[in-house]
């Protein structure tokens, strides 16, 4: 019988370094671990992160922040570190064309620097990879053993390929130096504190619906995505961190929507007068995405808790609060 993960009740006395702490997902992860009693050391260069997230985290006494580019060098930290979470990377398709070199740098040199730190400190290391490693998948839903269908020279390749390298690097630090590594593959995640203008489908649709503008569906809207509310993602990250498995885990929510259905749901949930307009779709936009979660669910009690309607409404409340 498979042994289930034992989750700690508290992380009092533990120190967690989080690269990318000013970002959307990393900010929520940092808050979760501060609430569990850990000390959190956040690193960020604000390329896509916000000071407001650091302000929220700074309300916790045990939060410490260093502004730095982890792809260049890390600050000198004399104290012990128990966990290093490599969560720093721009993740939106609009970033892929605007800041490709920065994306490749953070996922290669940045991950390398963070792995060296984990090795030096004897810390457990977690790399945030992505469902993008599956590219435009030929099998559906995507299972971790699928190697992917990825273009090395397409518009998304700065992200896909550097994340694939980050996974390989993590794997080899485990093999060669026995660093205690974990790898997660995150599927499309949304929630409060996303950048309203980051170009991803959920912030676009919610803000368009709030403003009564047309929702911009790219292509014919038959491509699918499976959307995970950020609290559920944090829960799955926590489970993987406390597993004892070095191989990749899918993290997300398997509820799958076509983008056209997604637009119609957002309009309905937010009671918006908006209509839908259709725009050209980008090259290599994956046609389907849905995580097979059997691997994580075999070793944990993880199941996504947030329904799509409630998740969209909560995220909309956040965006309204910014206006
Ligand atoms: P985000 O852009 O909100 O957060 C990333 C943070 O990393 C930002 O604060 C940014 O300023 C920081 N950062 C980037 N490069 C850096 C560098 N060189 N040095 C220091 N800080 C740097 O993005 P997110 O959506 O919260 O994604 C967080 C992680 O999760 C990323 O690794 C991303 O690839 C992964 N991921 C996210 C999703 C998703 O749907 N949100 C899906 C798959 C994978
Ligand atoms: N998309 C869309 N309209 C938008 C933004 C995105 O139709 O305003 C589509 C995009 O083409 C893709 C899907 O929504 O098929 C998800 O896009 P997102 O940028 O959220 O991230 P991806 O999952 O592609 O990395």
């Amino acid at each position: 019988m498979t042994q289930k993960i034992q989750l700690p009740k508290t992380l009092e006395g533990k120190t967690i370094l989080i690269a990318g702490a000013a970002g959307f997902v990393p900010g929520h992860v940092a808050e979760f671990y501060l609430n569990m009693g850990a000390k959190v050391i956040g690193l960020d260069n604000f390329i896509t992160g916000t000071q407001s997230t650091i302000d929220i985290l700074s309300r916790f006494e045990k939060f410490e922040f260093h502004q730095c580019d982890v792809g260049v060098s890390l600050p000198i930290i004399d104290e012990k570190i128990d966990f290093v979470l490599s969560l720093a990377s721009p993740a939106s398709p609009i970033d892929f064309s605007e800041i490709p070199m920065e994306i490749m740098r953070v996922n290669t040199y940045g991950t390398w620097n963070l792995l060296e730190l984990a090795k030096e400190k004897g810390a457990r290391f977690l790399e945030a990879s992505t469902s993008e490693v599956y590219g435009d998948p030929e099998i559906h839903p995507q299972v971790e053993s699928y190697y992917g269908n990825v273009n090395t020279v397409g518009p998304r390749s700065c992200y896909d390929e550097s994340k694939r390298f980050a996974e390989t690097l993590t794997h080899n630090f485990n093999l060669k130096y026995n660093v205690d590594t974990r790898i997660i593959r995150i599927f499309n995640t949304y929630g409060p504190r996303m950048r309203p203008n980051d170009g991803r489908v959920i912030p676009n649709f919610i803000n368009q619906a709030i403003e009564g503008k047309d929702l911009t569906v790219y292509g014919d809207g038959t491509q699918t995505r499976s959307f995970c509310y950020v609290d559920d993602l944090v829960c799955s990250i926590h489970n993987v961190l406390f597993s004892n498995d070095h191989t990749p885990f899918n993290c997300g929510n398997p509820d799958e929507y076509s983008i056209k259905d997604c637009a119609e749901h957002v309009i309905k949930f937010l009671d918006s007068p908006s209509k839908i307009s259709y725009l050209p779709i980008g090259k290599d936009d994956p046609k389907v995405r849905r995580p097979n979660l059997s691997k994580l669910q075999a070793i944990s009690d993880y199941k996504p808790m947030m329904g799509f309607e409630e998740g969209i409404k909560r995220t909309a409340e956040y965006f309204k609060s910014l206006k």
Side-chain angles (χ1 to χ4, degrees):
M1 204 179 87
T2 319
Q3 216 192 336
K4 292 265 183 187
I5 296 166
Q6 295 295 313
L7 293 175
K9 291 204 169 37
T10 167
L11 288 175
E12 242 5 280
K14 301 289 182 196
T15 300
I16 306 184
L17 181 134
I18 300 187
F24 161 55
V25 169
H28 283 277
V29 173
E31 198 174 2
F32 176 81
Y33 284 125
L34 286 161
N35 277 318
M36 283 197 74
K39 171 170 181 179
V40 171
I41 301 175
L43 310 181
D44 209 292
N45 66 351
F46 293 110
I47 188 163
T48 51
T50 58
Q51 180 61 43
S52 57
T53 299
I54 297 303
D55 294 343
I56 292 168
L57 300 176
S58 299
R59 288 183 210 139
F60 291 85
E61 237 172 66
K62 290 203 242 172
F63 180 68
E64 178 181 311
F65 180 66
H66 300 263
Q67 184 168 345
C68 71
D69 182 336
V70 300
V72 175
S73 63
L74 303 183
I76 293 165
I77 297 170
D78 287 331
E79 64 193 286
K80 65 145 189 140
I81 295 175
D82 301 288
F83 302 92
V84 173
L85 309 188
S86 171
L87 310 183
S89 168
S92 166
I94 57 170
D95 300 326
F96 304 167
S97 56
E98 284 170 12
I99 44 172
M101 308 319 279
E102 289 82 352
I103 290 174
M104 290 185 285
R105 179 172 279 278
V106 71
N107 287 318
T108 55
Y109 293 97
T111 300
W112 200 307
N113 287 337
L114 292 162
L115 278 160
E116 290 287 0
L117 178 72
K119 176 174 160 237
E120 177 198 321
K121 298 283 184 183
R124 186 173 298 172
F125 176 91
L126 180 136
E127 173 62 22
S129 181
T130 168
S131 60
E132 296 293 314
V133 299
Y134 299 122
D136 191 12
E138 300 126 315
I139 66 147
H140 192 63
Q142 291 75 58
V143 64
E144 290 87 345
S145 54
Y146 175 53
Y147 294 164
N149 176 33
V150 180
N151 180 0
T152 55
V153 289
R156 304 168 81 96
S157 55
C158 61
Y159 186 64
D160 308 339
E161 290 295 346
S162 62
K163 286 289 189 186
R164 288 169 70 94
F165 176 76
E167 287 196 14
T168 308
L169 193 61
T170 303
H171 171 67
N172 279 283
F173 264 76
N174 173 253
L175 289 184
K176 178 93 182 150
Y177 303 120
N178 209 20
V179 176
D180 188 15
T181 56
R182 305 287 181 276
I183 297 171
I184 53 169
R185 293 180 178 157
I186 303 174
F187 284 66
N188 203 312
T189 297
Y190 71 100
R193 298 194 217 147
M194 287 185 98
R195 282 176 299 155
N197 59 351
D198 92 346
R200 277 179 278 188
V201 69
I202 297 289
N204 273 9
F205 282 0
I206 292 180
N207 282 294
Q208 289 160 341
I210 292 173
E211 291 162 18
K213 294 182 178 155
D214 280 7
L215 273 64
T216 51
V217 168
Y218 302 158
D220 62 7
T222 54
Q223 73 272 30
T224 70
R225 293 294 185 275
S226 303
F227 299 108
C228 184
Y229 190 73
V230 66
D231 292 356
D232 285 324
L233 179 70
V234 171
C235 178
S236 63
I237 292 175
H238 184 51
N239 274 286
V240 175
L241 188 64
F242 286 93
S243 73
N244 52 17
D245 191 330
H246 306 301
T247 63
F249 279 92
N250 287 338
C251 288
N253 181 329
D255 289 346
E256 184 182 4
Y257 297 88
S258 75
I259 294 302
K260 182 171 179 291
D261 283 350
C262 172
E264 284 167 356
H265 283 307
V266 169
I267 289 172
K268 186 166 122 243
F269 296 157
L270 301 183
D271 202 15
S272 163
S274 292
K275 303 273 179 281
I276 294 176
S277 65
Y278 292 87
L279 297 178
I281 194 163
K283 185 174 179 297
D284 293 346
D285 195 308
K287 288 183 254 329
V288 288
R289 273 271 185 282
R290 178 179 183 184
N292 176 320
L293 295 178
S294 320
K295 188 172 166 187
L296 180 56
Q297 289 177 330
I299 55 160
S300 73
D301 295 325
Y302 171 71
K303 66 171 189 295
M305 302 302 285
M306 181 63 76
F308 197 38
E309 178 165 1
E310 181 61 20
I312 291 292
K313 286 182 170 165
R314 286 197 197 184
T315 310
E317 283 314 306
Y318 169 73
F319 287 135
K320 282 184 199 161
S321 76
L322 302 179
K323 293 195 188 292

